[in-house]
Amino acid sequence: MTGTHSFHPTVLREYDIRGIVGTTLTEADARAVGRAFGTVVVRGGGTSACVGYDGRLSSPALEAAMVEGLASTGLKVFRIGLGPTPMLYFATRDLNADAGVMITGSHNPPEYNGIKMMLGKGPVYGTMIQELGRIAGAGDYAVGAGSSERIDVQDRYVERLLKDYDGTRDLKVAWDAGNGASGEILRRLTAKLPGTHVLLFDEIDGTFPNHHPDPTVEKNLVDLKKAVAEHGCDIGIGFDGDGDRIGAIDHLGRVVWGDQLVAIYASDVLKAHPGATIIADVKTSQTVFDEIARHGGTPLMWKTGHSLLKAKMAEVGSPLAGEMSGHIFFADKWYGFDDALYCAVRLIGLVSKLGVPLSELRDRLPAVVNTPETRFQVSEERKFQVVEEVRARLQAEGADVNGIDGVRVNTPDGWWLLRASNTQDVLVARAEAPSQEKLERLKATLVEQLKKSGLAEPSFEGGGH
Ligand SMILES: [Zn+2]
């Protein structure tokens, strides 16, 4: 194979490669990514890579092209087959491979697909992804006699998940795999996990016939809530399409959001790691940071983006990190990557051994009122400018601004956030206060700032937490 390759300008993104299959993302693209990424691995002294794929209809063909591209650079390729993204991460660790590649469209509509990569133990993102475009554009590929073989890690992965279950009484749990890539592993896991398990949509089906596989959008949790109520379950757990994000429901049918889960896990993890740094993203409720501190931990607010959190966690040696989106990372007993199946095992174990319902753990966080994560469209050129304009005005006023990712503004009423998405042409806003009256004042301040930058008022519809 020779020649140069150029990608559609939209597919090489901040955290992954993603496009519409057959239009902006083709098998030729997957092969070129394999050649470019394989080149990076080989030139870095690596000799092997694992490849996995999700349940989308287009995934097997993209996987085959990826394997071909990687092997052409001289790598030994381990094909671990169909499963969730965290199983690929696990396989890469378990087989001691130098890199991992997952073909997955995550929670996106069926016509999408994408590629997530890890190099060594860390995520591939930002400039490293742009570098792949440069290598392919120049046709600057390593060439070697590689190989590929199929390796089934499913049993070892399930055994490893089960190893950290520490519950002491049986619970009843409803699960919704959303017809995503976790279905088969979920069946094997729940067959061995203590308790009673009600499984929804565990058939892997890339057309997603029941609901969109994104458990952080409340309308996708309707079936799970119904199952929790009908079967009298203690907990409901949902996964996104590739199993790296978790959603949870208490027995009253209320959502326990990703940031709240971090606070709940922190109370457990800090017993084993007193004083440890626990990281949560900039959209996280102040109550979560306060709860981490209350348990003797050192809370750290960091930028939104699963790759960024993962990297920060490794840098500071944190045993737990998470974000509102449901990406939660355990380095306590686990490997530091985001695995929703593992998070589920830890959550069930925690609720089981504490002997208190998840609803009570959730209600230990002080009651606050907040907006949901509110996204509104702005042009790609304006999104970072607007945040900078707001920051400059606030600083001129002497406001208390945390600039870790956008502007997170602390006021006597509470806090509000405005940040530019790294992956879409949207701005993200959120606000939180101890009372509705104070929240309205925060929202008014935020709207005023947007108007000063020439933007329309966003709609803060929907309940927060
Ligand atoms: Zn995902």
Side-chain angles (χ1 to χ4, degrees), residues 362-382:
R362 176 195 189 271
D363 290 340
R364 284 180 187 171
L365 294 169
V368 286
V369 283
N370 48 31
T371 68
E373 180 183 340
T374 303
R375 303 174 149 253
F376 49 97
Q377 204 154 6
V378 293
S379 69
E380 196 62 36
E381 309 81 70
R382 279 291 282 155

Side-chain angles (χ1 to χ4, degrees), residues 106 116 240 242 244-245:
S106 189
K116 288 180 184 171
D240 81 330
D242 66 329
D244 59 3
R245 294 192 298 128

Side-chain angles (χ1 to χ4, degrees), residues 54-56 106-108 110 174-184 186 198-215 220-221 223-224 237-243 245:
D54 74 8
R56 287 165 190 266
S106 189
H107 59 281
N108 290 281
W175 305 77
D176 185 343
N179 300 104
S182 303
E184 173 61 25
L186 178 60
V198 178
L199 269 55
L200 299 179
F201 315 135
D202 53 319
E203 296 295 330
I204 299 176
D205 183 341
T207 66
F208 307 118
N210 291 292
H211 62 73
H212 201 58
D214 184 354
N220 297 326
L221 295 170
D223 298 308
L224 183 60
I237 288 167
F239 298 132
D240 81 330
D242 66 329
R245 294 192 298 128

Side-chain angles (χ1 to χ4, degrees), residues 126-149:
T127 52
M128 297 164 85
I129 291 180
Q130 298 308 316
E131 174 66 6
L132 302 182
R134 191 203 63 76
I135 292 171
D140 176 24
Y141 301 124
V143 177
S147 63
S148 70
E149 62 181 301

Side-chain angles (χ1 to χ4, degrees), residues 136-176:
D140 176 24
Y141 301 124
V143 177
S147 63
S148 70
E149 62 181 301
R150 290 181 192 276
I151 294 190
D152 186 345
V153 300
Q154 293 185 94
D155 286 339
R156 277 217 300 289
Y157 176 51
V158 170
E159 285 308 319
R160 182 61 191 87
L161 290 170
L162 286 165
K163 190 173 156 240
D164 287 352
Y165 177 72
D166 57 358
T168 50
R169 74 190 162 104
D170 288 358
L171 299 181
K172 198 169 199 185
V173 185
W175 305 77
D176 185 343

